Amino acid sequence: MTDFQSMKNLSKAIDFAKRNLLAGNKIILVCCQNGEDIIICVSLAIVTLLFDDNGCFDCVHSFMKRDIARLEMMKRLVYIHLQICSKCTAI
C-alpha cells in the first residue's frame, strides 16, 4: 500500500481503533509489512483524535474542544516515542 492509499484509509484506521478501544481493548498495535513512515502518521492521528492531554481515551471529546497546532503535534509525538521506549525496555 502506498502512502497515498494509506492516507485515504486513515479514517478507517481511526474508526477501527475507536471501536476496539470502546470494546475495552487496551492495546492497539499499528504496524506495516515494510516499515514505512506512514505508521507514525496513523499513530499520531489515533493519539491526537482519541486521547486527551493526559493520555486517557476520551473518544474524540477533547479533540473537538481544542486547536491543534505544531506544538501539540510535537507533544503527541513525544508521547508515542515514550510509549514505544517503555515497551521496548519491558521486553
Side-chain angles (χ1 to χ4, degrees):
M1 186 179 306
T2 67
D3 286 354
F4 179 71
Q5 290 170 322
S6 298
M7 294 310 291
K8 281 179 47 178
N9 292 314
L10 185 59
S11 63
K12 291 179 185 176
I14 293 167
D15 288 340
F16 174 82
K18 184 177 176 180
R19 276 194 318 273
N20 279 277
L21 290 165
L22 286 170
N25 295 321
K26 302 284 184 192
I27 297 174
I28 296 173
L29 178 63
V30 180
C31 61
C32 75
Q33 293 178 340
N34 57 6
E36 292 181 3
D37 292 337
I38 198 68
I39 297 168
I40 197 65
C41 296
V42 173
S43 300
L44 184 59
I46 290 169
V47 168
T48 301
L49 289 171
L50 301 179
F51 292 83
D52 65 15
D53 292 335
N54 299 315
C56 298
F57 175 65
D58 77 346
C59 197
V60 188
H61 299 297
S62 65
F63 176 76
M64 301 303 239
K65 297 177 187 174
R66 68 175 182 260
D67 293 325
I68 302 297
R70 186 170 186 243
L71 181 59
E72 184 67 29
M73 290 292 105
M74 289 173 58
K75 287 193 308 189
R76 302 293 173 147
L77 283 169
V78 168
Y79 178 79
I80 292 169
H81 176 73
L82 292 174
Q83 292 303 309
I84 291 169
C85 290
S86 70
K87 300 298 182 220
C88 291
T89 56
I91 294 176

